[in-house]
Amino acid sequence: MTSLTCTQALSAAQTLGLERLDAQLLLLHALGKPATDRAWLTSHDQDVLSEDVDREYRQLSQRRAGGEPLAYIVGHQEFFGLKLWVDARVLVPRPDTETLVEWALQCAAEADTNASARLLDLGTGSGAIALALKKNMPSWDVTAVDASSQALAVALANALQHGLDVHFMESNWFANVSGHFHLIVSNPPYVADDDPHLIALMHEPQTALTAGADGLSDIRQIVARAQGYLQPGGWLLLEHGYDQAEAVCELLRQTGFLDVQSRCDLAGIKRCSGGRHLGRQDG
Ligand code: GLN
C-alpha cells in the first residue's frame, strides 16, 4: 500500500463520506498535531504520510465513517472554553448546552447570596456544565451528580485536569442529595424512546439520551422534586428538546414555579426552560 500525501488523504476520507473539517482534524490527530494546526496541512499538502500515520489515519477515518463522534475518536471536546476528555461512557458535550451555562451565570450574578452559595448539576456526564460554572464562579459550592459511576469517573478526571473543586456524587437525580441550593441545573435525557434521530446517536450512552415515550419522563421527575431542594428564590434551569419548551414550561407552572421562561440556543430554538421557587418572599 503506497502512502498518501496530505491532499490525497483528505480526499480519500471525503470519499468515505467525511466532512472536510473532520478529515482535517483526524489527520492532525494521526500526525500528533493540535487541532489549531489546520494551516499546517495547507502548507504541507504534498507531504507524504509515514506508513504509521497513514495506517492510523485510515483507521480513524473508518471509525468516523461508521458514525462514531469525532470527540470520542480524538478523545476530547471543547466546551465553554474548557478542553474536556470524553469517551463512550458520557454524552459528547454540545454547543447548545452553553446556552444553559450562560443562563446559569446570569442567574448566579443576580442571586442575592453570600459566599456559601450552592449549585447542583443533575446528570453531569462528562462534568461539562458543573466544571464550566465552577470555573466562572469559583466562590460557588458546586455539587454534581450522575446515576452512572462510569460517567462520574470521566467527570472527576476532567475536574482534576482543570484543578476545579467540584463535589461529585453518585445519585439517581435527587436520591442521595441533601440540603438546599440557590441554583439547580440539568441537561437530562430528553429524546423520545422511538425518535428516529437516535440512529445517528447510537455510539453515545442511550441512558443519557432517552426518556420515555415523549422524552419528558426524567424532566417530570426533576421538576416534581426540585422545589424541595431549592432555596427560596432559587432557579431550576433545564435543557430540553427543540420542541419541548411549551411542555416543560407548563410542567414548571403546574408545579408552582414562578417567572417561568425559556432561552434560545445558537440556532434560535427554545432549548432551555426554567423557573424560580419562591418559598418565602424574603428567604
Ligand atoms: N442534545 C442531544 C441531541 O439531541 C440530546 C441530549 C440529551 O438528551 N440531553 O443530540
Side-chain angles (χ1 to χ4, degrees), residues 15-50:
T15 311
L16 283 178
L18 268 65
E19 301 274 343
R20 183 166 175 80
L21 176 60
D22 285 5
Q24 290 175 322
L25 294 173
L26 290 177
L27 184 51
L28 287 170
H29 186 71
L31 287 160
K33 292 187 176 296
T36 44
D37 260 1
R38 277 166 61 215
W40 185 95
L41 291 177
T42 312
S43 53
H44 291 77
D45 57 348
Q46 294 311 315
D47 282 17
V48 176
L49 305 182
S50 75

PDB file of all heavy atoms in Angstrom, residues 15-50:
ATOM      1  N   THR A  15     -14.217  10.862   0.310  1.00  0.00           N
ATOM      2  CA  THR A  15     -14.864   9.813  -0.488  1.00  0.00           C
ATOM      3  C   THR A  15     -15.620   8.845   0.415  1.00  0.00           C
ATOM      4  O   THR A  15     -16.661   8.315   0.053  1.00  0.00           O
ATOM      5  CB  THR A  15     -13.806   9.039  -1.318  1.00  0.00           C
ATOM      6  OG1 THR A  15     -13.002   9.993  -1.979  1.00  0.00           O
ATOM      7  CG2 THR A  15     -14.441   8.110  -2.322  1.00  0.00           C
ATOM      8  N   LEU A  16     -15.097   8.630   1.619  1.00  0.00           N
ATOM      9  CA  LEU A  16     -15.799   7.761   2.582  1.00  0.00           C
ATOM     10  C   LEU A  16     -17.048   8.435   3.146  1.00  0.00           C
ATOM     11  O   LEU A  16     -17.814   7.831   3.888  1.00  0.00           O
ATOM     12  CB  LEU A  16     -14.880   7.454   3.771  1.00  0.00           C
ATOM     13  CG  LEU A  16     -13.769   6.433   3.613  1.00  0.00           C
ATOM     14  CD1 LEU A  16     -12.967   6.328   4.907  1.00  0.00           C
ATOM     15  CD2 LEU A  16     -14.351   5.063   3.269  1.00  0.00           C
ATOM     16  N   GLY A  17     -17.188   9.745   2.870  1.00  0.00           N
ATOM     17  CA  GLY A  17     -18.368  10.463   3.350  1.00  0.00           C
ATOM     18  C   GLY A  17     -18.076  11.413   4.496  1.00  0.00           C
ATOM     19  O   GLY A  17     -18.988  11.989   5.087  1.00  0.00           O
ATOM     20  N   LEU A  18     -16.807  11.612   4.832  1.00  0.00           N
ATOM     21  CA  LEU A  18     -16.484  12.501   5.955  1.00  0.00           C
ATOM     22  C   LEU A  18     -16.544  13.967   5.518  1.00  0.00           C
ATOM     23  O   LEU A  18     -16.211  14.293   4.383  1.00  0.00           O
ATOM     24  CB  LEU A  18     -15.058  12.216   6.464  1.00  0.00           C
ATOM     25  CG  LEU A  18     -14.931  11.199   7.588  1.00  0.00           C
ATOM     26  CD1 LEU A  18     -15.344   9.810   7.136  1.00  0.00           C
ATOM     27  CD2 LEU A  18     -13.488  11.156   8.103  1.00  0.00           C
ATOM     28  N   GLU A  19     -16.935  14.825   6.461  1.00  0.00           N
ATOM     29  CA  GLU A  19     -16.841  16.269   6.242  1.00  0.00           C
ATOM     30  C   GLU A  19     -15.362  16.615   6.122  1.00  0.00           C
ATOM     31  O   GLU A  19     -14.530  15.998   6.788  1.00  0.00           O
ATOM     32  CB  GLU A  19     -17.387  17.026   7.471  1.00  0.00           C
ATOM     33  CG  GLU A  19     -18.809  16.730   7.831  1.00  0.00           C
ATOM     34  CD  GLU A  19     -19.786  17.605   7.069  1.00  0.00           C
ATOM     35  OE1 GLU A  19     -19.354  18.630   6.519  1.00  0.00           O
ATOM     36  OE2 GLU A  19     -20.965  17.233   7.010  1.00  0.00           O
ATOM     37  N   ARG A  20     -15.063  17.657   5.344  1.00  0.00           N
ATOM     38  CA  ARG A  20     -13.653  18.039   5.167  1.00  0.00           C
ATOM     39  C   ARG A  20     -13.015  18.416   6.519  1.00  0.00           C
ATOM     40  O   ARG A  20     -11.881  18.032   6.814  1.00  0.00           O
ATOM     41  CB  ARG A  20     -13.558  19.209   4.187  1.00  0.00           C
ATOM     42  CG  ARG A  20     -12.122  19.599   3.919  1.00  0.00           C
ATOM     43  CD  ARG A  20     -11.975  20.517   2.716  1.00  0.00           C
ATOM     44  NE  ARG A  20     -10.587  20.944   2.580  1.00  0.00           N
ATOM     45  CZ  ARG A  20      -9.623  20.209   2.031  1.00  0.00           C
ATOM     46  NH1 ARG A  20      -9.918  19.016   1.563  1.00  0.00           N
ATOM     47  NH2 ARG A  20      -8.388  20.654   1.966  1.00  0.00           N
ATOM     48  N   LEU A  21     -13.762  19.171   7.320  1.00  0.00           N
ATOM     49  CA  LEU A  21     -13.204  19.595   8.616  1.00  0.00           C
ATOM     50  C   LEU A  21     -12.854  18.383   9.492  1.00  0.00           C
ATOM     51  O   LEU A  21     -11.784  18.324  10.108  1.00  0.00           O
ATOM     52  CB  LEU A  21     -14.212  20.497   9.355  1.00  0.00           C
ATOM     53  CG  LEU A  21     -13.815  20.932  10.759  1.00  0.00           C
ATOM     54  CD1 LEU A  21     -12.513  21.721  10.755  1.00  0.00           C
ATOM     55  CD2 LEU A  21     -14.922  21.767  11.408  1.00  0.00           C
ATOM     56  N   ASP A  22     -13.751  17.389   9.521  1.00  0.00           N
ATOM     57  CA  ASP A  22     -13.488  16.190  10.318  1.00  0.00           C
ATOM     58  C   ASP A  22     -12.238  15.473   9.804  1.00  0.00           C
ATOM     59  O   ASP A  22     -11.396  15.018  10.577  1.00  0.00           O
ATOM     60  CB  ASP A  22     -14.679  15.216  10.275  1.00  0.00           C
ATOM     61  CG  ASP A  22     -15.834  15.700  11.143  1.00  0.00           C
ATOM     62  OD1 ASP A  22     -15.737  16.819  11.685  1.00  0.00           O
ATOM     63  OD2 ASP A  22     -16.825  14.965  11.274  1.00  0.00           O
ATOM     64  N   ALA A  23     -12.123  15.388   8.450  1.00  0.00           N
ATOM     65  CA  ALA A  23     -10.960  14.717   7.856  1.00  0.00           C
ATOM     66  C   ALA A  23      -9.675  15.443   8.265  1.00  0.00           C
ATOM     67  O   ALA A  23      -8.678  14.817   8.639  1.00  0.00           O
ATOM     68  CB  ALA A  23     -11.106  14.687   6.340  1.00  0.00           C
ATOM     69  N   GLN A  24      -9.717  16.766   8.233  1.00  0.00           N
ATOM     70  CA  GLN A  24      -8.533  17.547   8.626  1.00  0.00           C
ATOM     71  C   GLN A  24      -8.177  17.298  10.094  1.00  0.00           C
ATOM     72  O   GLN A  24      -7.011  17.104  10.443  1.00  0.00           O
ATOM     73  CB  GLN A  24      -8.795  19.044   8.422  1.00  0.00           C
ATOM     74  CG  GLN A  24      -8.862  19.445   6.959  1.00  0.00           C
ATOM     75  CD  GLN A  24      -9.239  20.907   6.798  1.00  0.00           C
ATOM     76  OE1 GLN A  24     -10.070  21.431   7.536  1.00  0.00           O
ATOM     77  NE2 GLN A  24      -8.634  21.563   5.818  1.00  0.00           N
ATOM     78  N   LEU A  25      -9.203  17.300  10.951  1.00  0.00           N
ATOM     79  CA  LEU A  25      -8.939  17.125  12.390  1.00  0.00           C
ATOM     80  C   LEU A  25      -8.404  15.715  12.676  1.00  0.00           C
ATOM     81  O   LEU A  25      -7.533  15.541  13.530  1.00  0.00           O
ATOM     82  CB  LEU A  25     -10.202  17.418  13.203  1.00  0.00           C
ATOM     83  CG  LEU A  25     -10.663  18.884  13.132  1.00  0.00           C
ATOM     84  CD1 LEU A  25     -12.004  19.081  13.818  1.00  0.00           C
ATOM     85  CD2 LEU A  25      -9.612  19.821  13.739  1.00  0.00           C
ATOM     86  N   LEU A  26      -8.913  14.727  11.957  1.00  0.00           N
ATOM     87  CA  LEU A  26      -8.416  13.358  12.153  1.00  0.00           C
ATOM     88  C   LEU A  26      -6.980  13.214  11.648  1.00  0.00           C
ATOM     89  O   LEU A  26      -6.163  12.537  12.269  1.00  0.00           O
ATOM     90  CB  LEU A  26      -9.331  12.348  11.448  1.00  0.00           C
ATOM     91  CG  LEU A  26     -10.709  12.172  12.082  1.00  0.00           C
ATOM     92  CD1 LEU A  26     -11.551  11.205  11.256  1.00  0.00           C
ATOM     93  CD2 LEU A  26     -10.608  11.683  13.519  1.00  0.00           C
ATOM     94  N   LEU A  27      -6.685  13.881  10.533  1.00  0.00           N
ATOM     95  CA  LEU A  27      -5.319  13.801  10.011  1.00  0.00           C
ATOM     96  C   LEU A  27      -4.341  14.465  10.991  1.00  0.00           C
ATOM     97  O   LEU A  27      -3.277  13.914  11.292  1.00  0.00           O
ATOM     98  CB  LEU A  27      -5.249  14.438   8.616  1.00  0.00           C
ATOM     99  CG  LEU A  27      -3.897  14.345   7.899  1.00  0.00           C
ATOM    100  CD1 LEU A  27      -3.374  12.906   7.882  1.00  0.00           C
ATOM    101  CD2 LEU A  27      -4.001  14.868   6.471  1.00  0.00           C
ATOM    102  N   LEU A  28      -4.739  15.619  11.513  1.00  0.00           N
ATOM    103  CA  LEU A  28      -3.875  16.290  12.507  1.00  0.00           C
ATOM    104  C   LEU A  28      -3.679  15.386  13.725  1.00  0.00           C
ATOM    105  O   LEU A  28      -2.581  15.276  14.268  1.00  0.00           O
ATOM    106  CB  LEU A  28      -4.495  17.629  12.933  1.00  0.00           C
ATOM    107  CG  LEU A  28      -4.425  18.747  11.883  1.00  0.00           C
ATOM    108  CD1 LEU A  28      -5.268  19.936  12.304  1.00  0.00           C
ATOM    109  CD2 LEU A  28      -2.965  19.183  11.657  1.00  0.00           C
ATOM    110  N   HIS A  29      -4.760  14.718  14.139  1.00  0.00           N
ATOM    111  CA  HIS A  29      -4.661  13.818  15.301  1.00  0.00           C
ATOM    112  C   HIS A  29      -3.675  12.689  15.012  1.00  0.00           C
ATOM    113  O   HIS A  29      -2.823  12.363  15.841  1.00  0.00           O
ATOM    114  CB  HIS A  29      -6.048  13.275  15.636  1.00  0.00           C
ATOM    115  CG  HIS A  29      -6.088  12.464  16.898  1.00  0.00           C
ATOM    116  ND1 HIS A  29      -5.958  13.031  18.148  1.00  0.00           N
ATOM    117  CD2 HIS A  29      -6.221  11.131  17.099  1.00  0.00           C
ATOM    118  CE1 HIS A  29      -6.006  12.080  19.061  1.00  0.00           C
ATOM    119  NE2 HIS A  29      -6.178  10.919  18.459  1.00  0.00           N
ATOM    120  N   ALA A  30      -3.792  12.097  13.798  1.00  0.00           N
ATOM    121  CA  ALA A  30      -2.891  10.998  13.435  1.00  0.00           C
ATOM    122  C   ALA A  30      -1.440  11.482  13.367  1.00  0.00           C
ATOM    123  O   ALA A  30      -0.507  10.734  13.656  1.00  0.00           O
ATOM    124  CB  ALA A  30      -3.318  10.406  12.090  1.00  0.00           C
ATOM    125  N   LEU A  31      -1.269  12.764  13.003  1.00  0.00           N
ATOM    126  CA  LEU A  31       0.087  13.332  12.908  1.00  0.00           C
ATOM    127  C   LEU A  31       0.614  13.784  14.273  1.00  0.00           C
ATOM    128  O   LEU A  31       1.754  14.233  14.382  1.00  0.00           O
ATOM    129  CB  LEU A  31       0.069  14.545  11.958  1.00  0.00           C
ATOM    130  CG  LEU A  31      -0.062  14.246  10.463  1.00  0.00           C
ATOM    131  CD1 LEU A  31      -0.554  15.475   9.706  1.00  0.00           C
ATOM    132  CD2 LEU A  31       1.282  13.787   9.900  1.00  0.00           C
ATOM    133  N   GLY A  32      -0.256  13.700  15.309  1.00  0.00           N
ATOM    134  CA  GLY A  32       0.151  14.150  16.645  1.00  0.00           C
ATOM    135  C   GLY A  32       0.213  15.669  16.755  1.00  0.00           C
ATOM    136  O   GLY A  32       0.926  16.222  17.586  1.00  0.00           O
ATOM    137  N   LYS A  33      -0.581  16.347  15.911  1.00  0.00           N
ATOM    138  CA  LYS A  33      -0.585  17.810  15.934  1.00  0.00           C
ATOM    139  C   LYS A  33      -1.900  18.322  16.510  1.00  0.00           C
ATOM    140  O   LYS A  33      -2.924  17.664  16.400  1.00  0.00           O
ATOM    141  CB  LYS A  33      -0.425  18.354  14.508  1.00  0.00           C
ATOM    142  CG  LYS A  33       0.944  18.086  13.917  1.00  0.00           C
ATOM    143  CD  LYS A  33       1.115  18.771  12.582  1.00  0.00           C
ATOM    144  CE  LYS A  33       2.533  18.565  12.079  1.00  0.00           C
ATOM    145  NZ  LYS A  33       3.547  19.187  12.953  1.00  0.00           N
ATOM    146  N   PRO A  34      -1.879  19.534  17.116  1.00  0.00           N
ATOM    147  CA  PRO A  34      -3.118  20.068  17.690  1.00  0.00           C
ATOM    148  C   PRO A  34      -4.120  20.499  16.622  1.00  0.00           C
ATOM    149  O   PRO A  34      -3.735  20.785  15.474  1.00  0.00           O
ATOM    150  CB  PRO A  34      -2.639  21.296  18.487  1.00  0.00           C
ATOM    151  CG  PRO A  34      -1.324  21.672  17.901  1.00  0.00           C
ATOM    152  CD  PRO A  34      -0.720  20.408  17.341  1.00  0.00           C
ATOM    153  N   ALA A  35      -5.394  20.549  17.012  1.00  0.00           N
ATOM    154  CA  ALA A  35      -6.472  20.916  16.088  1.00  0.00           C
ATOM    155  C   ALA A  35      -6.276  22.316  15.516  1.00  0.00           C
ATOM    156  O   ALA A  35      -6.819  22.639  14.460  1.00  0.00           O
ATOM    157  CB  ALA A  35      -7.815  20.822  16.815  1.00  0.00           C
ATOM    158  N   THR A  36      -5.500  23.133  16.204  1.00  0.00           N
ATOM    159  CA  THR A  36      -5.286  24.516  15.751  1.00  0.00           C
ATOM    160  C   THR A  36      -4.301  24.590  14.579  1.00  0.00           C
ATOM    161  O   THR A  36      -4.067  25.649  14.031  1.00  0.00           O
ATOM    162  CB  THR A  36      -4.718  25.355  16.912  1.00  0.00           C
ATOM    163  OG1 THR A  36      -3.692  24.580  17.562  1.00  0.00           O
ATOM    164  CG2 THR A  36      -5.793  25.715  17.913  1.00  0.00           C
ATOM    165  N   ASP A  37      -3.731  23.457  14.187  1.00  0.00           N
ATOM    166  CA  ASP A  37      -2.707  23.435  13.131  1.00  0.00           C
ATOM    167  C   ASP A  37      -3.256  23.179  11.728  1.00  0.00           C
ATOM    168  O   ASP A  37      -2.534  22.663  10.868  1.00  0.00           O
ATOM    169  CB  ASP A  37      -1.664  22.337  13.441  1.00  0.00           C
ATOM    170  CG  ASP A  37      -0.411  22.934  14.077  1.00  0.00           C
ATOM    171  OD1 ASP A  37      -0.394  24.162  14.284  1.00  0.00           O
ATOM    172  OD2 ASP A  37       0.526  22.169  14.353  1.00  0.00           O
ATOM    173  N   ARG A  38      -4.516  23.547  11.473  1.00  0.00           N
ATOM    174  CA  ARG A  38      -5.065  23.244  10.143  1.00  0.00           C
ATOM    175  C   ARG A  38      -4.296  23.945   9.032  1.00  0.00           C
ATOM    176  O   ARG A  38      -4.167  23.406   7.937  1.00  0.00           O
ATOM    177  CB  ARG A  38      -6.549  23.592  10.094  1.00  0.00           C
ATOM    178  CG  ARG A  38      -7.395  22.458  10.686  1.00  0.00           C
ATOM    179  CD  ARG A  38      -8.805  22.876  10.976  1.00  0.00           C
ATOM    180  NE  ARG A  38      -9.500  23.293   9.788  1.00  0.00           N
ATOM    181  CZ  ARG A  38     -10.405  24.282   9.762  1.00  0.00           C
ATOM    182  NH1 ARG A  38     -10.722  24.921  10.870  1.00  0.00           N
ATOM    183  NH2 ARG A  38     -10.989  24.597   8.648  1.00  0.00           N
ATOM    184  N   ALA A  39      -3.740  25.124   9.325  1.00  0.00           N
ATOM    185  CA  ALA A  39      -2.961  25.847   8.307  1.00  0.00           C
ATOM    186  C   ALA A  39      -1.727  25.029   7.908  1.00  0.00           C
ATOM    187  O   ALA A  39      -1.281  25.086   6.756  1.00  0.00           O
ATOM    188  CB  ALA A  39      -2.546  27.213   8.839  1.00  0.00           C
ATOM    189  N   TRP A  40      -1.198  24.263   8.846  1.00  0.00           N
ATOM    190  CA  TRP A  40      -0.025  23.419   8.554  1.00  0.00           C
ATOM    191  C   TRP A  40      -0.354  22.451   7.423  1.00  0.00           C
ATOM    192  O   TRP A  40       0.456  22.219   6.529  1.00  0.00           O
ATOM    193  CB  TRP A  40       0.382  22.659   9.823  1.00  0.00           C
ATOM    194  CG  TRP A  40       1.655  21.866   9.661  1.00  0.00           C
ATOM    195  CD1 TRP A  40       2.922  22.250   9.980  1.00  0.00           C
ATOM    196  CD2 TRP A  40       1.765  20.526   9.121  1.00  0.00           C
ATOM    197  NE1 TRP A  40       3.818  21.253   9.669  1.00  0.00           N
ATOM    198  CE2 TRP A  40       3.146  20.185   9.145  1.00  0.00           C
ATOM    199  CE3 TRP A  40       0.855  19.594   8.623  1.00  0.00           C
ATOM    200  CZ2 TRP A  40       3.624  18.954   8.701  1.00  0.00           C
ATOM    201  CZ3 TRP A  40       1.327  18.376   8.157  1.00  0.00           C
ATOM    202  CH2 TRP A  40       2.696  18.065   8.206  1.00  0.00           C
ATOM    203  N   LEU A  41      -1.571  21.900   7.446  1.00  0.00           N
ATOM    204  CA  LEU A  41      -1.962  20.936   6.412  1.00  0.00           C
ATOM    205  C   LEU A  41      -1.929  21.581   5.029  1.00  0.00           C
ATOM    206  O   LEU A  41      -1.537  20.955   4.052  1.00  0.00           O
ATOM    207  CB  LEU A  41      -3.376  20.393   6.684  1.00  0.00           C
ATOM    208  CG  LEU A  41      -3.549  19.481   7.897  1.00  0.00           C
ATOM    209  CD1 LEU A  41      -5.017  19.092   8.051  1.00  0.00           C
ATOM    210  CD2 LEU A  41      -2.682  18.235   7.759  1.00  0.00           C
ATOM    211  N   THR A  42      -2.360  22.835   4.966  1.00  0.00           N
ATOM    212  CA  THR A  42      -2.380  23.535   3.676  1.00  0.00           C
ATOM    213  C   THR A  42      -0.951  23.749   3.177  1.00  0.00           C
ATOM    214  O   THR A  42      -0.655  23.518   2.002  1.00  0.00           O
ATOM    215  CB  THR A  42      -3.090  24.905   3.839  1.00  0.00           C
ATOM    216  OG1 THR A  42      -4.302  24.671   4.550  1.00  0.00           O
ATOM    217  CG2 THR A  42      -3.379  25.547   2.510  1.00  0.00           C
ATOM    218  N   SER A  43      -0.073  24.142   4.082  1.00  0.00           N
ATOM    219  CA  SER A  43       1.297  24.439   3.624  1.00  0.00           C
ATOM    220  C   SER A  43       2.110  23.156   3.387  1.00  0.00           C
ATOM    221  O   SER A  43       3.173  23.202   2.791  1.00  0.00           O
ATOM    222  CB  SER A  43       2.005  25.362   4.606  1.00  0.00           C
ATOM    223  OG  SER A  43       1.927  24.822   5.897  1.00  0.00           O
ATOM    224  N   HIS A  44       1.601  22.000   3.862  1.00  0.00           N
ATOM    225  CA  HIS A  44       2.322  20.730   3.650  1.00  0.00           C
ATOM    226  C   HIS A  44       1.476  19.752   2.835  1.00  0.00           C
ATOM    227  O   HIS A  44       1.570  18.537   3.012  1.00  0.00           O
ATOM    228  CB  HIS A  44       2.680  20.088   5.001  1.00  0.00           C
ATOM    229  CG  HIS A  44       3.726  20.859   5.739  1.00  0.00           C
ATOM    230  ND1 HIS A  44       3.440  22.023   6.404  1.00  0.00           N
ATOM    231  CD2 HIS A  44       5.051  20.652   5.902  1.00  0.00           C
ATOM    232  CE1 HIS A  44       4.545  22.495   6.956  1.00  0.00           C
ATOM    233  NE2 HIS A  44       5.543  21.688   6.660  1.00  0.00           N
ATOM    234  N   ASP A  45       0.654  20.303   1.926  1.00  0.00           N
ATOM    235  CA  ASP A  45      -0.324  19.443   1.245  1.00  0.00           C
ATOM    236  C   ASP A  45       0.308  18.324   0.409  1.00  0.00           C
ATOM    237  O   ASP A  45      -0.311  17.300   0.178  1.00  0.00           O
ATOM    238  CB  ASP A  45      -1.305  20.283   0.394  1.00  0.00           C
ATOM    239  CG  ASP A  45      -0.600  21.141  -0.639  1.00  0.00           C
ATOM    240  OD1 ASP A  45       0.640  21.267  -0.565  1.00  0.00           O
ATOM    241  OD2 ASP A  45      -1.290  21.685  -1.522  1.00  0.00           O
ATOM    242  N   GLN A  46       1.569  18.520  -0.010  1.00  0.00           N
ATOM    243  CA  GLN A  46       2.190  17.467  -0.836  1.00  0.00           C
ATOM    244  C   GLN A  46       3.088  16.540  -0.009  1.00  0.00           C
ATOM    245  O   GLN A  46       3.713  15.630  -0.568  1.00  0.00           O
ATOM    246  CB  GLN A  46       2.997  18.094  -1.989  1.00  0.00           C
ATOM    247  CG  GLN A  46       2.126  18.848  -3.016  1.00  0.00           C
ATOM    248  CD  GLN A  46       0.913  18.035  -3.487  1.00  0.00           C
ATOM    249  OE1 GLN A  46       1.037  16.846  -3.797  1.00  0.00           O
ATOM    250  NE2 GLN A  46      -0.259  18.645  -3.505  1.00  0.00           N
ATOM    251  N   ASP A  47       3.172  16.762   1.299  1.00  0.00           N
ATOM    252  CA  ASP A  47       3.964  15.858   2.152  1.00  0.00           C
ATOM    253  C   ASP A  47       3.387  14.446   2.091  1.00  0.00           C
ATOM    254  O   ASP A  47       2.161  14.269   2.133  1.00  0.00           O
ATOM    255  CB  ASP A  47       3.906  16.302   3.626  1.00  0.00           C
ATOM    256  CG  ASP A  47       4.829  17.477   3.910  1.00  0.00           C
ATOM    257  OD1 ASP A  47       5.256  18.132   2.940  1.00  0.00           O
ATOM    258  OD2 ASP A  47       5.103  17.719   5.100  1.00  0.00           O
ATOM    259  N   VAL A  48       4.266  13.454   2.032  1.00  0.00           N
ATOM    260  CA  VAL A  48       3.798  12.058   2.030  1.00  0.00           C
ATOM    261  C   VAL A  48       3.730  11.585   3.482  1.00  0.00           C
ATOM    262  O   VAL A  48       4.655  11.804   4.271  1.00  0.00           O
ATOM    263  CB  VAL A  48       4.758  11.168   1.206  1.00  0.00           C
ATOM    264  CG1 VAL A  48       4.330   9.704   1.281  1.00  0.00           C
ATOM    265  CG2 VAL A  48       4.774  11.633  -0.245  1.00  0.00           C
ATOM    266  N   LEU A  49       2.623  10.946   3.838  1.00  0.00           N
ATOM    267  CA  LEU A  49       2.443  10.461   5.209  1.00  0.00           C
ATOM    268  C   LEU A  49       3.356   9.263   5.459  1.00  0.00           C
ATOM    269  O   LEU A  49       3.550   8.431   4.570  1.00  0.00           O
ATOM    270  CB  LEU A  49       0.988  10.040   5.450  1.00  0.00           C
ATOM    271  CG  LEU A  49      -0.101  11.073   5.154  1.00  0.00           C
ATOM    272  CD1 LEU A  49      -1.478  10.489   5.488  1.00  0.00           C
ATOM    273  CD2 LEU A  49       0.123  12.343   5.969  1.00  0.00           C
ATOM    274  N   SER A  50       3.867   9.155   6.668  1.00  0.00           N
ATOM    275  CA  SER A  50       4.636   7.960   7.022  1.00  0.00           C
ATOM    276  C   SER A  50       3.661   6.773   7.060  1.00  0.00           C
ATOM    277  O   SER A  50       2.446   6.967   7.172  1.00  0.00           O
ATOM    278  CB  SER A  50       5.294   8.133   8.388  1.00  0.00           C
ATOM    279  OG  SER A  50       4.306   8.003   9.385  1.00  0.00           O
TER     280      SER A  50
END
